[in-house]
Amino acid sequence: MEPFVSSVYFGDLLAGADEAGRGPLAGDVVAAAVILDPNKPIAGLADSKKLTEKKREALFVEIQEKALAYAVASASIEEIDQLNILHASMLAMSRAVNQLSVRAEHVLIDGNRVPKDLPCPAEAVVKGDARHAAISAASILAKVTRDREIVKMAAQYPQYGFEKHKGYPTAQHLAALELYGITPIHRRTFGPVKKILEG
């Protein structure tokens, strides 16, 4: 896939932003924003979904050590149900960018649309997590953070198997929903959860 190079911004205060957790039936949606340091390159950055868990965990630490700035933010289950998942994802990304300790001059957003309320100009980059290092770094921070949060929930609701499927609608998860009903961390507007609520 063709690496992405911005045609409008050429400086170093470029942030990448991405989210994790659009598809699951449970938990918050988590976003991250990262400004990489051109003098401290990080090898092996790629779309977080393509990396092993072990590799993601190692890069998670390295990104935090080497980045010029990074921030992680989320939108809650209530916000997802109120706004819908797309708008909640945008809200989480906007929060992450606004929380950066170094103000970004330009932001690259993974996907095909740009959130509102950003502090600087932005571009949407389709498949950006595979095409630009800063977006890859953001996707790794977001995914590792979200996975850790949902694994904590697995201890609270052991019968659902969150540590295995991370909240995604797997056969195991759907079967547990049928058997045990929904928990406070389930997204009520998502099809399989909504069906149980209405049933």
Side-chain angles (χ1 to χ4, degrees):
M1 195 173 291
E2 200 60 32
F4 180 83
V5 180
S6 174
S7 58
V8 292
Y9 180 77
F10 309 99
D12 289 334
L13 294 178
L14 176 74
D18 197 5
E19 48 67 37
R22 244 182 220 204
L25 306 177
D28 296 349
V29 62
V30 176
V34 179
I35 302 176
L36 293 172
D37 185 341
N39 300 316
K40 294 179 184 170
I42 300 169
L45 288 174
D47 172 5
S48 63
K49 295 183 285 297
K50 303 266 172 23
L51 301 168
T52 63
E53 194 170 339
K54 191 176 170 190
K55 183 69 179 157
R56 279 198 300 268
E57 290 280 351
L59 284 166
F60 182 82
V61 175
E62 193 177 351
I63 292 160
Q64 291 180 327
E65 285 170 354
K66 291 183 173 176
L68 275 176
Y70 67 88
V72 178
S74 59
S76 68
I77 301 146
E78 293 74 25
E79 286 171 323
I80 293 167
D81 284 337
Q82 196 184 343
L83 301 170
N84 82 31
I85 186 62
L86 174 67
H87 290 105
S89 300
M90 293 290 138
L91 177 63
M93 283 195 274
S94 171
R95 282 174 177 162
V97 173
N98 279 292
Q99 285 169 25
L100 286 166
S101 58
V102 175
R103 192 186 165 102
E105 291 177 347
H106 195 78
V107 188
L108 302 179
I109 302 281
D110 183 54
N112 60 4
R113 57 177 71 204
V114 168
K116 291 186 238 172
D117 304 322
L118 291 174
C120 61
E123 288 173 87
V125 185
V126 173
K127 298 206 183 324
D129 46 9
R131 297 173 62 203
H132 195 282
I135 303 178
S136 300
S139 86
I140 291 163
L141 292 192
K143 180 153 177 59
V144 171
T145 302
R146 188 182 187 284
D147 284 357
R148 287 179 179 178
E149 283 177 9
I150 204 92
V151 167
K152 276 189 205 147
M153 295 298 170
Q156 217 173 326
Y157 306 105
Q159 63 273 47
Y160 291 85
F162 286 122
E163 72 287 352
K164 295 194 190 80
H165 53 65
K166 310 293 192 291
Y168 283 88
T170 61
Q172 179 200 9
H173 190 184
L174 295 174
L177 273 174
E178 289 288 344
L179 205 56
Y180 304 110
I182 65 168
T183 70
I185 68 160
H186 278 100
R187 301 171 178 178
R188 281 153 172 68
T189 50
F190 276 48
V193 181
K194 199 173 170 185
K195 193 173 130 201
I196 287 167
L197 279 171
E198 289 168 354

